[in-house]
């Protein structure tokens, strides 16, 4: 009989998170998925035969974290944890309010770290777990106009690097995956905003973006999900504490 394996995936109803949920289900993991509204994704995953439970709520809310911990305790184990959420608003430094700093710090930094911290005793008891957070190529190469993303993700990468160093002896492997330009709603919204600002078409902005990428195309959610799924599975035996790019060669600095 196949060993029972449980994966908890936040931000898993769309885009890269959803693609990862499908791949983990195909690998035989039982899923706990989270986002603010998981109903459609859970239904679709069940149609593929996956065992799925949805927990609705923002990763920035303490009540969501509590509900996720309770769900893992009910299952009695956790083998894989994906820390993900939607991207923050595209806003320049001078336009981000104090309230927005607090909201997005809760969602992008405190929420993921709290969830990991509170699940760690269970992972330590098992002496194994794989953890991945989704970040962004902008951690290594910050872009103007997205200060929330540039800064909060950089803090998360370094916090997780620290956790990876401290928890490796408990069999807990922790990595961050940094997408480049991936064809999801996020990139559509992003490029539409630049098009509106510059009074040009979204297609022109898309073409300009594609010219920046050595592989000359946007990535697909599955391109990123494939690496995340590998890192979250037991096939990953020796990679931890890394921030790995899936960006079509976009970032040239190491
Ligand atoms: N696509 C790219 O090119 C790109 C590039 C660099 C970095 N990234 C980053 O990679 C991550 C995933 O990107 P994506 O393109 O897959 O995004 P996406 O298609 O917008 O999906 C985001 C997922 O997160 C969920 N979510 C949103 N806010 C949440 C919250 N507060 N708490 C829990 N879940 C939440 C969404 O579902 P609900 O609406 O149901 O909550 C959805 O399932 C994002 O952080 C994004 O900024 C993406």
């Amino acid at each position: 009989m196949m060993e029972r394996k449980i994966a908890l995936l936040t931000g898993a109803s769309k885009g890269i998170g959803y693609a990862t949920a499908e791949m983990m289900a195909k690998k035989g993991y039982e899923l706990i998925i989270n986002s603010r509204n998981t109903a459609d994704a859970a239904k679709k995953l069940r149609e593929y035969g996956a065992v799925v439970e949805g927990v609705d709520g923002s990763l920035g809310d303490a009540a969501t974290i509590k509900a996720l911990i309770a769900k893992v305790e009910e299952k009695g184990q956790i083998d894989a944890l994906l820390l993900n959420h939607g991207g923050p608003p595209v806003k320049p430094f001078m336009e981000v309010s104090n309230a927005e700093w607090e909201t997005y710090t809760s969602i992008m930094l405190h929420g993921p770290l709290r969830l990991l911290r509170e699940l760690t005793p269970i992972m330590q008891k098992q002496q194994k777990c794989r953890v991945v957070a989704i970040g962004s190529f902008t951690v290594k190469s910050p872009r103007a106009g997205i200060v929330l993303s540039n800064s909060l993700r950089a803090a998360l990468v370094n916090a997780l690097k620290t956790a990876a160093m401290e928890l490796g002896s408990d069999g807990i492997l922790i990595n961050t995956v940094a997408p480049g330009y991936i064809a999801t709603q996020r990139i559509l919204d992003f490029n539409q905003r630049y098009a509106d600002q510059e009074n040009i078409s979204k297609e022109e902005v898309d073409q300009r973006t594609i010219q920046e990428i050595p592989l000359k195309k946007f990535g697909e959610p599955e391109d990123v999900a494939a690496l995340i799924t590998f890192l979250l599975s037991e096939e990953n035996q020796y990679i931890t504490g890394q921030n790995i790019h899936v960006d079509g060669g976009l970032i040239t600095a190491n």
Side-chain angles (χ1 to χ4, degrees), residues 2 39 42 84 154 164 179 182 200 218 224 226 238:
M2 214 164 85
N84 183 40
I182 310 300
I200 55 176
F218 291 129
V224 188
Y238 207 59

Side-chain angles (χ1 to χ4, degrees), residues 119-226:
L119 286 172
T120 293
I122 303 175
M123 298 174 184
Q124 284 172 316
K125 213 161 140 200
Q126 299 170 172
Q127 283 291 297
K128 66 170 173 137
C129 195
R130 308 285 184 276
V131 180
V132 170
I134 302 183
S136 173
F137 72 96
T138 56
V139 167
K140 275 194 189 165
S141 177
R143 303 271 150 137
I146 50 168
V147 67
L148 287 164
S149 178
N150 291 339
S151 55
L152 295 171
R153 291 188 205 275
L156 186 70
V157 166
N158 277 321
L160 293 179
K161 173 80 180 174
T162 312
M165 292 190 283
E166 294 174 1
L167 300 174
S169 58
D170 290 316
I172 304 171
L173 282 64
I174 306 173
N175 294 287
T176 310
V177 168
Y181 293 110
I182 310 300
T184 68
Q185 193 58 43
R186 173 78 178 155
I187 195 75
L188 295 178
D189 294 347
F190 217 81
N191 281 358
Q192 188 60 57
R193 189 185 158 99
Y194 285 123
D196 294 344
Q197 272 172 3
E198 295 173 38
N199 207 15
I200 55 176
S201 71
K202 190 185 136 309
E203 288 63 37
E204 279 175 80
V205 182
D206 284 350
Q207 277 314 313
R208 193 173 67 193
T209 311
I210 285 168
Q211 286 319 309
E212 272 186 73
I213 308 168
L215 291 187
K216 302 292 173 223
K217 58 179 182 179
F218 291 129
E220 295 300 324
E222 291 73 18
D223 296 330
V224 188

Side-chain angles (χ1 to χ4, degrees), residues 9-251:
L9 314 170
T10 73
S13 67
K14 292 175 214 142
I16 300 165
Y18 177 79
T20 305
E22 269 195 16
M23 289 185 188
M24 292 298 284
K26 281 184 193 138
K27 274 189 164 290
Y29 284 73
E30 277 181 43
L31 307 180
I32 304 165
I33 61 165
N34 155 260
S35 80
R36 290 162 304 173
N37 183 354
T38 59
D40 289 350
K43 186 166 173 268
K44 211 163 134 196
L45 288 162
R46 283 189 198 109
E47 282 164 10
Y48 291 122
V51 177
V52 190
E53 290 198 57
V55 174
D56 288 5
S58 170
L59 191 54
D61 292 345
T64 310
I65 307 283
K66 216 170 146 194
L68 290 170
I69 307 282
K71 195 52 80 186
V72 170
E73 285 172 348
E74 197 184 301
K75 299 266 185 195
Q77 72 186 76
I78 176 158
D79 301 284
L81 170 65
L82 174 68
L83 301 167
N84 183 40
H85 47 71
V90 177
K91 279 193 169 187
F93 176 69
M94 290 303 288
E95 285 179 23
V96 182
S97 68
N98 288 336
E100 284 171 319
W101 273 110
E102 280 177 24
T103 299
Y104 289 97
T105 302
S106 294
I107 296 170
M108 301 176 67
L109 191 59
H110 293 321
L113 292 180
R114 182 170 171 188
L115 184 58
L116 174 58
R117 210 170 47 239
E118 295 195 15
L119 286 172
T120 293
I122 303 175
M123 298 174 184
Q124 284 172 316
K125 213 161 140 200
Q126 299 170 172
Q127 283 291 297
K128 66 170 173 137
C129 195
R130 308 285 184 276
V131 180
V132 170
I134 302 183
S136 173
F137 72 96
T138 56
V139 167
K140 275 194 189 165
S141 177
R143 303 271 150 137
I146 50 168
V147 67
L148 287 164
S149 178
N150 291 339
S151 55
L152 295 171
R153 291 188 205 275
L156 186 70
V157 166
N158 277 321
L160 293 179
K161 173 80 180 174
T162 312
M165 292 190 283
E166 294 174 1
L167 300 174
S169 58
D170 290 316
I172 304 171
L173 282 64
I174 306 173
N175 294 287
T176 310
V177 168
Y181 293 110
I182 310 300
T184 68
Q185 193 58 43
R186 173 78 178 155
I187 195 75
L188 295 178
D189 294 347
F190 217 81
N191 281 358
Q192 188 60 57
R193 189 185 158 99
Y194 285 123
D196 294 344
Q197 272 172 3
E198 295 173 38
N199 207 15
I200 55 176
S201 71
K202 190 185 136 309
E203 288 63 37
E204 279 175 80
V205 182
D206 284 350
Q207 277 314 313
R208 193 173 67 193
T209 311
I210 285 168
Q211 286 319 309
E212 272 186 73
I213 308 168
L215 291 187
K216 302 292 173 223
K217 58 179 182 179
F218 291 129
E220 295 300 324
E222 291 73 18
D223 296 330
V224 188
L227 175 65
I228 297 172
T229 301
F230 171 78
L231 292 171
L232 285 178
S233 75
E234 286 181 21
E235 284 164 46
N236 173 22
Q237 285 291 321
Y238 207 59
I239 302 172
T240 193
Q242 304 305 306
N243 176 31
I244 305 174
H245 282 233
V246 181
D247 64 5
L250 185 64
I251 297 301

